[in-house]
Amino acid sequence: MVSDSDHLREKRVVFYKEDVEKINEVLIEFLKLSDSKCNILIDKEGHMVTKAGKTGAIDLQSVSALVAGSYAATREMARLLGEDEFSVLFHQGRKDSIQLTLVGDRTILATVFDERTTIGMVRLYAKEASEKLEEIFRAILERPPQEGEDLDKNFGEDAKGALDFFFVD
Amino acid sequence: MVQINFSLKEVNCKVVYYGPGLSGKTTNLEVVHQKAPKGSVGDLTSIATEGDRTLFFDFLPLNLGQVAGMKTKFQIYTVPGQVYYNSTRKLVLQGADGVVFVADSKKGKMPENLESLENLMENFREYGMDPETTPIVLQYNKRDLPEIYTIEEMDAELNRWNCLTFEAVARDGNGVFPTLKALAGQVLESLNRQHSGGSVAQRRPAAVAVGAGVAAGGGGGQQSAQASPAVSVGQATGRAQPMRATGQAVPMQGGVRVSAKNQSISVAKNKKKNRSKGMLWVMLGFVALAGAGAYLHFSGKLAALLGQ
Ligand SMILES: Nc1nc2c(ncn2[C@@H]2O[C@H](COP(=O)(O)OP(=O)(O)O)[C@@H](O)[C@H]2O)c(=O)[nH]1
Ligand SMILES: [Mg+2]
């Protein structure tokens, strides 16, 4: 029998405030060191976890979905070529470029940068950052499930109301 | 996999529209994009071929709004239906929190429906997902066509888990909202149940509870025990009856639809649709490597989003 808490961990990913604050620190440091424009941390399902830097007009939800899809497609290519996984992915643009770095096995760090810096700098510091992030994730996974913060007791009731309100046929 | 982010105060869920090619999955998303309240949906991004066939996926971000203090969002995807795109289809399915299976009601399409359903089950198995506990709803689309299977025939062939089913004419916008509403309800209810410490293994009762506005009969007391082993029993007995939302759920009210359309026009104006064209060569060159082909296309999409 799988316990409820195991189920919880299996079926959903929870990011607590303290965790995200630690992640943000790493991202901000990386942002400065690499001189990149912005950094977005995305889980493999394509949901954004957090971000740092100027994301301005970027449609973060769509970018996150495409980054995750892009990564998934690359992983499949790697498999077909007999590679384990490509851990870094790079798209070069005229003005901006984007680098995707795998962090652990569940998240992707997307770094947007321009000619103020170089791919070499970004790659160097991204490696460092991703190692730090992996450590944070490892600590999260090893920690027993937290008691404190969870969804509100009214979540179910509220959800019904929100659905009725939204889906007016 | 649902992401609960207490830092962003967000709940993120992934929903996938599955089904054979041309059954109406992309059309469903287009309708949701048009009919959703202003500002609640983002761009509809389609990674499609010249002929508007889905190459990798369509993507629509939907913001349901505040639920108990959490901004609750759905990321909605469609998969390419064509049989030979299984690698990309599988990628899109990964981590899904709920599935809408869009079946084609047109006479002669049952083999394709069945093949797609089998493929879904196979991909579920590979990901260790359980059709008994993963929220799934069935949509019987194209009910407007003259030569269609009866609902009983559709149920008998496709509804193996006593799922909620919906009749739809997606092209006219009918049945699209009730389908998504029911599935979204199941996903959130399952999340809520996990939260409140109940067993995760039961899902059908919740489906009925949340879909109640849709399924007239309610039938709130459904036990999952009935749903599990009873593959063929479900639709043979009257039990499936109250679960089906059919007729009542899809009132063909022209007036309502018109006003919804008016509203949607303004939505569509500032949220420009993002269908892309002109990558047929990618398809031709990479049919065998569908994943790779889609991927190339995709960098273009990313670049566009980053303002290149
Ligand atoms: N008659 C009819 N045609 C439909 C309906 N829904 C979608 N279609 C048409 O079926 C075709 C395929 O739809 P599409 O959404 O691209 O299918 P997909 O391959 O599942 O994404 C399009 O020409 C649609 O206009 C429907 O309810 N009735
Ligand atoms: Mg399509």
Side-chain angles (χ1 to χ4, degrees), chain B residues 21-306:
Chain B
L22 299 178
S23 66
K25 302 175 292 295
T26 301
T27 307
N28 264 269
L29 253 63
E30 285 170 348
V31 170
V32 173
H33 182 248
Q34 277 177 25
K35 280 179 98 170
K38 209 173 172 169
S40 63
V41 288
D43 287 351
L44 175 57
T45 300
S46 290
I47 299 179
T49 65
E50 185 84 57
D52 265 4
R53 302 294 304 274
T54 309
L55 177 59
F56 196 163
F57 58 69
D58 307 306
F59 172 72
L60 181 69
L62 182 155
N63 186 349
L64 185 65
Q66 294 286 335
V67 175
M70 302 291 276
K71 201 191 275 180
T72 301
K73 295 179 173 180
F74 286 87
Q75 278 85 31
I76 309 175
Y77 295 78
T78 73
V79 296
Q82 299 90 308
V83 176
Y84 47 89
Y85 281 158
N86 191 46
S87 57
T88 52
R89 195 158 45 234
K90 229 172 91 183
L91 296 180
V92 177
L93 186 65
Q94 186 169 31
D97 301 305
V99 174
V100 174
F101 187 89
V102 182
D104 196 330
S105 303
K106 192 177 174 203
K107 271 264 161 74
K109 292 286 184 181
M110 198 56 86
E112 283 177 52
N113 290 330
L114 286 168
E115 185 175 13
S116 180
L117 195 65
E118 288 307 327
N119 175 257
L120 174 65
M121 289 308 103
E122 198 180 306
N123 287 337
F124 260 38
R125 266 194 299 278
E126 289 203 22
Y127 284 135
M129 292 166 76
D130 180 359
E132 294 292 341
T133 53
T134 305
I136 305 174
V137 300
L138 301 181
Q139 182 183 80
Y140 302 153
N141 192 29
K142 305 197 185 180
R143 300 308 295 174
D144 59 314
L145 293 176
E147 300 271 299
I148 51 176
Y149 296 106
T150 65
I151 294 300
E152 288 68 30
E153 286 167 327
M154 298 292 282
D155 273 341
E157 297 278 6
L158 303 171
N159 193 359
R160 303 173 184 184
W161 312 275
N162 219 350
C163 293
L164 282 174
T165 66
F166 295 88
E167 285 187 65
V169 183
R171 207 181 47 188
D172 297 341
N174 287 309
V176 171
F177 261 24
T179 308
L180 182 57
K181 182 184 182 184
L183 184 77
Q186 288 184 23
V187 170
L188 294 180
E189 183 50 38
S190 136
L191 185 65
N192 184 49
R193 211 172 25 248
Q194 289 171 32
H195 149 78
S196 59
S199 164
V200 186
Q202 311 169 10
R203 89 180 147 104
R204 300 305 171 208
V208 177
V210 180
V214 168
Q222 290 282 342
Q223 290 305 307
S224 58
Q226 297 170 335
S228 39
V231 173
S232 59
V233 180
Q235 73 277 351
T237 67
R239 219 183 296 133
Q241 214 54 31
M243 304 207 64
R244 198 183 330 122
T246 314
Q248 314 93 307
V250 195
M252 307 274 177
Q253 295 164 347
V256 174
R257 230 180 309 139
V258 171
S259 62
K261 281 250 168 70
N262 285 342
Q263 183 190 34
S264 72
I265 290 168
S266 55
V267 175
K269 232 186 266 167
N270 45 12
K271 300 272 170 200
K272 196 166 66 64
K273 220 175 73 172
N274 218 352
R275 277 227 188 221
S276 74
K277 320 262 178 200
M279 287 297 281
L280 194 59
W281 62 270
V282 172
M283 270 202 67
L284 294 173
F286 285 89
V287 167
L289 279 170
Y295 159 73
L296 282 181
H297 193 67
F298 217 52
S299 323
K301 278 280 171 204
L302 265 174
L305 281 164
L306 295 170

Side-chain angles (χ1 to χ4, degrees), chain A residues 4 10 12-15 20 43 47-49 61 65-66 70 75 80 94-96 151 156 158 164 169, chain B residues 1-8 35 40 61 68 75 77 94 181 192 195 197 256 289 295 298 305 308:
Chain A
D4 284 345
E10 201 180 297
R12 61 184 207 192
V13 196
V14 182
F15 290 99
V20 178
D43 73 20
H47 312 312
M48 185 181 84
V49 177
Q61 276 201 84
L66 288 171
S70 183
R75 199 170 49 223
L80 293 173
R94 232 179 329 104
K95 199 159 52 57
D96 291 341
L151 293 179
D158 259 30
D164 286 340
D169 210 21
Chain B
M1 196 132 26
V2 178
Q3 189 210 79
I4 302 178
N5 192 320
F6 288 109
S7 179
L8 297 170
K35 280 179 98 170
S40 63
Q75 278 85 31
Y77 295 78
Q94 186 169 31
K181 182 184 182 184
N192 184 49
H195 149 78
V256 174
L289 279 170
Y295 159 73
F298 217 52
L305 281 164
Q308 287 291 313

